[in-house]
Structures are given as C-alpha cells and as structure tokens.
Amino acid sequence: MSDDDVAPQGAPVSTGGHEPPERDITDGGPDMVQFLAADGSRVEVTPTTEPYAAYLEEIDHEELRGFLRDLILVRRVDSEGFALQRQGELGLWPSLLGQEAAQVGAGRAMRPQDYAFPGYREHGVAWCKGVPPENLLGMFRGVNHGGWDSNANNFHLYTIVIGNQMLHAVGYAMGVSRDGDVGTGDAERDTAVMAFTGDGGTAQGDFNESLVFAAVTNAPVVFYVQNNHWAISEPNDRQFTIPPYRRADGFGFPGIRVDGNDVLASYAVTRHALDRARAGQGPTLIEAFTYRMGAHTTSDDPTKYRISAEVDAWKAKDPIDRMTAYLRAEGAIDDAWIEQIDAEADELATRIRRACQTMPDPPHEEMFAHVYAEPHRLIEREAAAFADYQSGFED
Amino acid sequence: MSTQTSTATRMTIAKALNAGMRAAMERDPKVVLMGEDVGKLGGVFRITEGLQKDFGEDRVIDTPLAEAGIMGAAVGMALRGYRPVVEIQFDGFVYPAFDQIVSQVAKMHNRSLGALKVPMVIRIPYGGGIGAVEHHSESNESYFAHTAGLRVVTCSSTEDAYWMMQQAIASDDPVVFYEPKRRYHERGVLDLGAQGGALENAPHALDEAVVRVEGSDVTVLTYGPMVKVAHAAAQAAELEDGPSIEVIDLRSLSPLDTEVIEESVKKTGRCIALSEAQTFASITSELAAYVQEHCFYHLEAPVLRVGGYNIPYPPSRHEEVFLPDLDRVLHAVETLLAY
C-alpha cells in the first residue's frame, strides 16, 4: 500500500462518485406523466403517456365536472377542518391543501371493491370512497381513534405511525390473491388494494419491507406516494436522493411519476396501475409529484422552515385553478355551475361544523369496551373498579 | 390394558405444537402460517415440519427475512379474514417487529371501536439454556404483557402445547405465544381419548392458571421453562421432609389468573415469583406487587422474586448461574421460612 492510498485526515467522506442531485423543487422532470399543464391547457399525448391517456378518452363532460366538484368540495372539507381546529373544536388537523388532485385522481380510479389503506391526510380519498367527512373528525376531536367502519367503504382507519399501513395493504392484498379475487376478468370481483404514504414515509423500514413483500408475492397492490416535498420541517432531500418512483425498479416492478396537481393524470395513471393489479400482474409504485401548501398539521409553522418563493411557485400550479380553466375552455362549465358548487360547498361546511360541534363525548366507561375482543380479567376488574369509583361522585 | 391408555401418546412439546397447528389448519381453512423458513425446512426448530407439504405454499408461507414485514403483512391478512400464525425465529429477533406488534396488532380492535379484529398468533421460541449465541436466549414476555390488546401465553407441557396452540389460534384476539425452546424435546403424555380432540373439550381455558403441585408452606408462581425447575424443587423438598411447596403454572401472563394466585397464597402465606426473565419491571414484579396488594394480611413474609439478573442475557458459559435453578428456588424458600 502506498502513501497515496491513505486519505489525509479531515478529508471529505467519499460519496462513491454519486453526488446528490439538485433538489427537485417544482419541476417533475421529463418522466412525469401530465395531461393538464398548469394553465389548464391539454398536454400533447406521447407514446409514453398513450396507455394512460386511453382512460381519458371515455370520460364525458359530466364526469369531468364530477372531478372538479370533488376537488372543490374536498378543499372545503379541508378548510373547514382547519377552521374548526383554530376555533378549538379539534385538537389537530392535517391539511391536504394542494394535494386535492393527487387524492381525487387516485380515489376516483378505485372501484368499490378496491381497498384503501391511508396515512392520516387522505381526506380526498376518503371522500371518493364515500366516507362521510364528518366521520374523519372524531379522532382529531379526541372522541375516538377512527370512528368509521373500515369495511363499510373499503377505506381503512387512518394510521398515525408513518408507514405501518403500507404492510397492512400488502397483507390484505395477499389475502385478496388467496381468495382468488384477481385475474378472473370479472370487473365486479377482481380487487386491488391501494397503500398511501408521503415522501417522509418512503424512508421508513415498513415502506421498504412492503415493497419487498409485494414484489415477491406479486400482490395486487398500488403504492401511492404523495411526494408533497416536506416531512414536517424536513425537505424531501432528507428522505431520498433519487425520486421514489425510481425506487420501484430496484424492487422489480413498475414505478411511475405523475403530476399530482393534475387530476386527470393522477386518475389515468392510477386506473392503469389498478387494472394491472386486478389482472394479476402485480404491484405498481406511483409517485404523485405534488406540494403541501399548508403546514404539516395545525401544530407546526412552515414559515420557520421554508421560503415563500417555493410556495408561490406551487400556487401557480394549483389543481383546482387548472381544472377550472380546462373545463371553462372546453365549455363544460360556466359561472352558474361554479356558483352552484360553491353553494354546495357552503352547505357541506355547515353540515360538517354542526356535526363536529354536536359530536357527543363518549361515556368514560367506553374506554374499557374494546380493548379485547374476548373477555380479559384485568380489563373487567379495572372497568368494575372505575365504575365503582365514579359512582362515588354521583351526588 | 384399558382403552383409555390406548388413546394416549407420548410426544415432545415440539410435536404437540405441530399437531396443534395441524388440527387448527384442518378445522379452519383461513388459518395460515407465516415466517422465515417455516415451509420446506419446517422452521429452524422444525415446529412447522411437514405442514407446507400437506397444506401447500399458500397456507404455509415462506416470507422474506423481514420481521416487521411479516407482522405487518399478517395484520393485513387478518383484516382480510385470515388467521395468520406468525413465527418469529428467535426471541431476540422480535424487536424489528415490535412497532407493528404494539402499535398495530395490539390496538387495531380498540381503535376501530371493536369493528375490526386481528385474530393472529405470534409464536416466539424463548428463553435460554440451549447454549446459543447472542440474541437467541431472551425472555422478553414483559414487553408484550405490558401492552393492552395483546394476550400473552406460554406452555410448559405436551398437553398444553397441543391445546393452547389451538385455543390461541381460535381466539379473536391477537395472542403472543411463547414456546419454551429448551423444553421442545421433552416428552409428555397427550391423551385425546377423553376429549375426543374437540377444542371445546380442552382440559383448561387459555387464560387459566393450573396448580401443578399441591403444597401448604410456600407458593411458587411460575411459567414456561421454569415450571420444571419449580417442580424439581418441590420434589427435592418433599424427599428431604422439607417444606411443602405449591407450584402454580400461570400459563397465561396476560391476563393473569388472579383467583388461582390469591387462593394459593392465602393458603400458604408465602410466595415466590419465579422466571428466567430479568426481574426488574417484569412479570415477576407484577406478581409480587399483585400479591402484596391483595394478600397482604395473609403473608408471613415478603414476596421474593427469583429470576435472571438484571443484565443482558450473558454468553452461554454463564447460563448455568444466570438461569434460576433448583438451588436458587430452595434458597428462596429457606429465606421465606426464616421470617
């Protein structure tokens, strides 16, 4: 060994020749599937995007208006949640502002039998799966840890621990395969599962293990990473040095980056992935390239960790403005239609507010009710002791 | 020879666990086994031997080497209506799955207000005494007994291995099933004659403690691999016309069968909590606290804990003195009687 082989003290650590790329703030790059430009004009279909564009050909004006209606109403659900927190009705609210198109596109691509495993920001997916928005409020108000029946709408409870749900989705999908509910050709029967997380979630072990399990079991699952660029205060270059969609290649299945602020592209790409999964062709990883316009939750202050120029750049990509401009140009909507939807949003907000304010506190003895499915001596003893103690205060 | 003896078989705890899983799989097509090497190899301890051959790869699933992955995927399978029986290869390898177990497996039923069930069994070969290397000899049952939503059980005999495994699989709650690995190859009698093999005829409920040896001077509360040690101590004392030791096999660590515990301690007035696990903040701590709280006026002496020292499980050349043995139990008995 020559002296040249010995690195001098204090030398920089080698990166193995791979310098981290410049942080990709607002440009999704050439691989990103997009059908609506930021100004609402249609993007030309290319041979690469053609398989996805095929799903848009069958959509009529009525359905397109439905997309925009969902975007507007979901934004209203979110702003109402935010306001309720500020007024002390909710303890916390994780806003989806800016991510409406990513979620509505994915949500509308799902069939009723498809099952969604959300994180805790998927209010738009919940909306598309038919979960009443007021049901989402219970956990943020502190009256329960979920409060909706997952199996009523095939929308699992929110999962707070980042990434845990990705594995649940894969396991559920493994069950779907064992039930024979893939590849039958029966549109009512063939089932896929969607697993939602954010860019922060891609750093978790559970996320990576879910990709391994899905790959080796050929599970009918679609991983949907909403890269909203921030994990609380950490920019996504603290989570990865290559974009999430490229990671799929290393696990042996397709990865696609889609413009998450383009509801048509999000819808088409997800439809394609779900069709693959239902046909028994295995998993897909979709990265919806989007942006969280607000705070992570009502507890943090994004002005402490990000610059306003970045937020302004994304304002120009707003998913609702974009779809509105497109549909106006198409002659599919007019001012009267917008006014009607705004009125509907007002009614929805009133309904949510009333539901939140009149949500009863659960009786305290319910704490002991569902710890176990079968009788458990310790819980029974404690419940009885609690009831006895409480009864001492009755008069 | 009577007909009753002809239905009795002598078999190891390992074989009884295997037979229990087989019976559960035959009874319910939704029962699936999952884990590393559980298929062709039959597990590193061969507990699942032959099951993949007979039930197929869809029901005995060789998984990637990823404990959180196994556990999280099993949660999803359970949500889809399956009953996964998950094998953790060794006690010390459960930690990568700890988050899934305590954050998800334990809480799913509760946070769904009872709408969802995750009826899964987490099998963990545990404890020392086999001369293994680091991370292969731990007794980490306290972590899971501490977590509401999980049932934690362990067996010490062939009969319990067979029945408790089936009861754990049939339970609608998640059950952490600790298998005493140094007892795997010890033989006992399994007699299906009287019970006819039907689960509802099992000799004991899953959460029932059983008096293994009756005695009048000192109660030893113990479980799993230590039951044999306690039994030996009781026999040794009896042979020497020493104190009369009552041995209680707890079987269920969550919930504890407090009625059996109280009845015994109120009778004897003296109590030892015996386990291989480190004693600090442990099952034995809980037993000592419970007994002093509920049997205070019946006690002739403080409750003593006999267990592993509060150090990492030591290299195997120390096992002989780390693990409680007959002499340490008898020493504790003498201490109690001296009060």
Side-chain angles (χ1 to χ4, degrees), chain A residues 113 115 117 139 143-151 156-181 189 191 193 204-206 209-210 212-213 216-217 366-379 381, chain B residues 30 32 34 57-59 61 63-82 96 99-100 103-104 106 108-117 145 147-151 170-174 205 207-209 254-259 290 294:
Chain A
Q113 73 268 28
Y115 214 106
F117 283 84
M139 70 183 302
V143 304
N144 57 45
H145 291 317
W148 60 88
D149 178 357
S150 306
N151 295 324
H156 190 64
L157 297 175
Y158 278 173
T159 302
I160 304 286
V161 182
I162 308 290
N164 277 178
Q165 76 280 7
M166 308 307 278
L167 281 161
H168 305 165
V170 174
Y172 192 92
M174 289 167 66
V176 168
S177 297
R178 275 162 181 73
D179 291 341
D181 292 340
R189 177 176 177 183
T191 301
V193 182
Q204 288 280 355
D206 279 12
E209 293 189 24
S210 73
V212 173
F213 270 71
V216 302
T217 62
E366 263 188 30
M367 287 192 297
F368 302 97
H370 304 293
V371 184
Y372 292 89
E374 295 175 1
H376 188 281
R377 296 164 200 261
L378 175 61
I379 304 296
R381 203 166 58 233
Chain B
K30 293 292 189 184
V32 293
M34 301 172 68
E57 292 181 9
D58 270 358
R59 293 193 62 195
I61 307 165
T63 64
L65 201 162
E67 284 79 9
I70 297 168
M71 206 61 64
V75 170
M77 294 275 284
L79 292 174
R80 180 70 187 183
Y82 287 81
D99 173 30
Q100 280 286 348
S103 303
Q104 301 299 335
M108 195 67 80
H109 183 69
N110 184 247
R111 66 197 186 90
S112 69
L113 300 177
L116 301 177
K117 293 183 174 67
T147 301
L150 302 172
R151 291 173 186 277
S171 172
D172 277 342
D173 283 315
D207 61 2
E208 195 180 312
S254 175
L256 287 168
D257 186 347
T258 49
E259 287 80 4
Y290 184 88
H294 294 270

Side-chain angles (χ1 to χ4, degrees), chain A residues 14 16 18 41 53 66 123 133 161 163 181 183 245 279 310 317 363-364 368 379 392:
Chain A
S14 168
H18 299 288
S41 60
H123 320 316
V161 182
D181 292 340
Y245 76 102
E310 183 180 312
K317 296 165 173 283
H364 290 313
F368 302 97
I379 304 296

